């Protein structure tokens, strides 16, 4: 469950980065767009888990230039070359940044596939104050880069797609808009690694005396099984979460609570997937078989994404509408991946 804590932390990080960038701009009139980690911080986007080759970019101001000849030596600034469209946005009318879609594509060279999916989710939060892009905009940028390369090749020029392009195409299949936190995204991906359907994100229900809908972090509405990620909270938040859980269970939902201890290693994640499978078994009265652990790359296999939803394989009549297809069937989108894999 995301909330004000995430917003305040990202806002604080944003203003720290703005202060550092303002100091740099006082020393230099050079104004290329800020990129990578710096762009995320300035746009208040939750940071992904960094690989070792990306950590060096965290403690410096990163900017993007379209050609190596445009790089300058300025203390505290690290220029990176990006020969694809440098779409820009302006933060606080003072700090040019690569757009969220451009920033996401640039990160494909530094992040593994799972973190690339998590970063895409982070850019499309349910909270309107933290939503920076859409799935269509991410896909459009990748398509624009592909079109640029094809045009150059058609003109007889040497050109190739950016590092991580294939992973961007794959990530678009599993990224979801309307999420609240990166840990919820990682929890969702755990289900897929063990052969369960992709749960719905922030599924709305009416619970207790609430007039406004309660949004379940992750849900299998066809089985009325929900998965809620609980971070570290103060006592008041713990009491609210306890009441929330009671209201959800009173509506007949099977509740699975997740903490950071359930994520991060194979053994813990498999145990979590088994807990979810057992809740589904309690509803359908049948055994739910998990698969051997898959990598996210294997999850993205086109054939796997086109499999039947679990309730159909179990010949179970859904208890509630499963939504807009965030589950097992991805349709034509997975066909595009066949040409990439």
């Amino acid at each position: 469950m995301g909330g004000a804590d995430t917003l305040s932390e990202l806002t604080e990080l944003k203003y720290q980065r703005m202060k550092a960038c303002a100091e740099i701009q006082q020393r230099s009139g050079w104004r290329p767009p800020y990129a990578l980690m710096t762009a995320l911080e300035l746009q208040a986007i939750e940071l992904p888990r960094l690989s070792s080759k990306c950590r060096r970019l965290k403690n410096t101001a990163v900017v993007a230039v379209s050609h190596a000849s445009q790089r300058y030596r300025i203390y505290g600034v690290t220029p990176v070359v990006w020969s694809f469209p440098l779409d820009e946005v302006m933060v606080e009318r003072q700090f040019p940044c690569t757009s969220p879609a451009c920033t996401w594509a640039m990160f494909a060279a530094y992040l593994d596939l799972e973190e690339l999916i998590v970063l895409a989710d982070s850019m499309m939060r349910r909270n309107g104050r933290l939503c920076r892009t859409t799935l269509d905009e991410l896909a459009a940028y990748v398509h624009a880069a592909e079109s640029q390369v094809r045009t150059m090749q058609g003109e007889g020029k040497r050109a190739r797609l950016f590092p991580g392009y294939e992973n961007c195409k794959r990530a678009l299949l599993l990224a979801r808009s309307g999420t609240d936190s990166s840990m919820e995204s990682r929890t969702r991906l755990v289900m897929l690694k063990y052969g369960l359907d992709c749960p719905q994100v922030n599924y709305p229900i009416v619970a207790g005396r609430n007039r406004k809908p309660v949004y379940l972090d992750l849900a299998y509405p066809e089985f009325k099984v929900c998965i809620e990620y609980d971070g570290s909270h103060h006592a008041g938040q713990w009491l609210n979460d306890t009441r929330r859980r009671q209201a959800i269970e009173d509506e007949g939902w099977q509740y699975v609570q997740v903490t950071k201890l359930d994520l991060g290693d194979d053994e813990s994640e498999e145990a979590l997937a088994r807990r979810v499978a057992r809740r589904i078994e309690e509803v359908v009265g049948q055994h739910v078989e998990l698969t051997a652990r898959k990598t996210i790359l294997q999850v993205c296999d086109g054939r796997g994404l086109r499999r039947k939803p679990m309730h159909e394989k179990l010949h179970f009549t859904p208890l509630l509408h499963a939504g807009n297809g965030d589950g097992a069937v991805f349709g034509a989108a997975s066909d595009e991946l066949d040409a990439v894999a």
Side-chain angles (χ1 to χ4, degrees):
M1 289 170 282
D5 289 344
T6 299
L7 178 59
S8 62
E9 290 169 5
L10 291 174
T11 301
E12 181 180 357
L13 186 60
K14 170 184 175 178
Y15 283 104
Q16 289 175 356
R17 177 55 69 181
M18 285 173 57
K19 181 178 179 181
C21 290
E23 189 275 329
I24 291 172
Q25 291 182 183
Q26 287 178 349
R27 293 189 280 109
S28 170
W30 190 36
R31 294 291 185 273
Y34 295 104
L36 293 171
M37 295 295 293
T38 310
L40 294 184
E41 291 170 344
L42 286 172
Q43 295 176 75
I45 297 170
E46 191 172 349
L47 306 180
R49 290 174 176 169
L50 302 175
S51 63
S52 57
K53 61 181 177 180
C54 191
R55 287 175 187 154
R56 63 184 176 83
L57 303 177
K58 187 174 182 179
N59 298 319
T60 184
V62 184
V63 297
V65 295
S66 57
H67 194 274
S69 63
Q70 298 173 336
R71 293 182 294 185
Y72 291 90
R73 287 183 175 271
I74 297 176
Y75 178 76
V77 177
T78 300
V80 295
V81 177
W82 184 253
S83 57
F84 296 90
L86 271 176
D87 296 350
E88 295 186 28
V89 296
M90 188 67 71
V91 174
E92 303 292 338
R93 301 182 180 181
Q94 184 178 357
F95 305 102
C97 295
T98 52
S99 70
C102 178
T103 303
W104 180 69
M106 293 179 72
F107 261 109
Y110 299 92
L111 301 177
D112 61 27
L113 177 56
E114 181 167 346
E115 283 304 301
L116 196 61
I117 296 168
V118 171
L119 178 57
D121 283 8
S122 298
M123 294 179 168
M124 302 184 291
R125 290 289 185 236
R126 178 167 64 98
N127 185 335
R129 297 173 66 183
L130 294 175
C131 183
R132 300 290 180 258
T133 190
T134 66
L135 201 58
D136 286 343
E137 289 175 351
L138 295 178
Y141 186 89
V142 174
H143 179 71
E146 182 181 359
S147 297
Q148 174 181 309
V149 169
R150 287 178 176 173
T151 298
M152 293 178 67
Q153 290 174 341
E155 296 171 350
K157 300 177 182 178
R158 296 182 62 183
R160 60 181 180 180
L161 289 160
F162 56 85
Y165 162 80
E166 293 86 355
N167 273 351
C168 282
K169 296 282 284 187
R170 296 184 178 101
L172 289 171
L173 298 176
L174 297 184
R176 292 290 180 270
S177 60
T179 60
D180 284 334
S181 76
S182 293
M183 296 305 283
E184 291 173 20
S185 297
R186 295 185 181 102
T187 301
R188 183 180 82 246
L189 296 177
V190 167
M191 302 302 112
L192 298 175
K193 292 176 185 177
Y194 290 95
L196 297 175
D197 286 355
C198 185
Q200 300 285 303
V201 171
N202 276 310
Y203 187 84
I205 66 169
V206 176
R209 299 179 179 178
N210 295 303
R211 294 184 178 180
K212 295 182 179 180
V214 172
Y215 290 91
L216 305 176
D217 293 345
L218 301 168
Y220 292 106
E222 60 271 38
F223 306 119
K224 293 191 76 172
V225 171
C226 70
I227 307 166
E228 294 273 290
Y229 181 81
D230 289 340
S232 299
H233 299 304
H234 50 73
Q237 183 63 45
W238 177 85
L239 180 60
N240 289 336
D241 288 349
T242 300
R243 291 172 176 168
R244 170 189 169 95
R245 174 171 182 168
Q246 186 63 58
I248 292 170
E249 291 181 331
D250 286 347
E251 295 299 321
W253 285 79
Q254 298 285 331
Y255 190 104
V256 179
Q257 183 179 24
V258 182
T259 71
K260 64 180 181 180
L261 298 178
D262 296 307
L263 305 172
D265 65 82
D266 294 2
E267 184 178 354
S268 297
E269 291 183 353
E270 181 177 357
L272 170 59
R274 291 195 181 281
R275 284 168 54 203
V276 174
R278 283 197 295 269
R279 295 295 185 274
I280 296 174
E281 289 173 349
E282 292 173 8
V283 174
V284 302
Q286 302 179 53
H287 178 63
V288 174
E289 187 72 31
L290 298 181
T291 65
R293 182 183 175 92
K294 301 176 184 177
T295 65
I296 293 298
L297 180 61
Q298 291 171 325
V299 170
C300 286
D301 178 82
R303 292 165 296 178
L305 293 178
R306 288 191 291 264
R307 69 183 188 274
K308 287 184 178 180
M310 186 184 302
H311 73 268
E312 289 187 12
K313 292 190 290 185
L314 296 174
H315 304 289
F316 181 78
T317 302
L319 300 178
L320 292 173
H321 180 54
N324 60 0
D326 279 355
V329 182
F330 287 75
S334 59
D335 294 332
E336 296 181 5
L337 188 62
D338 293 339
V340 176

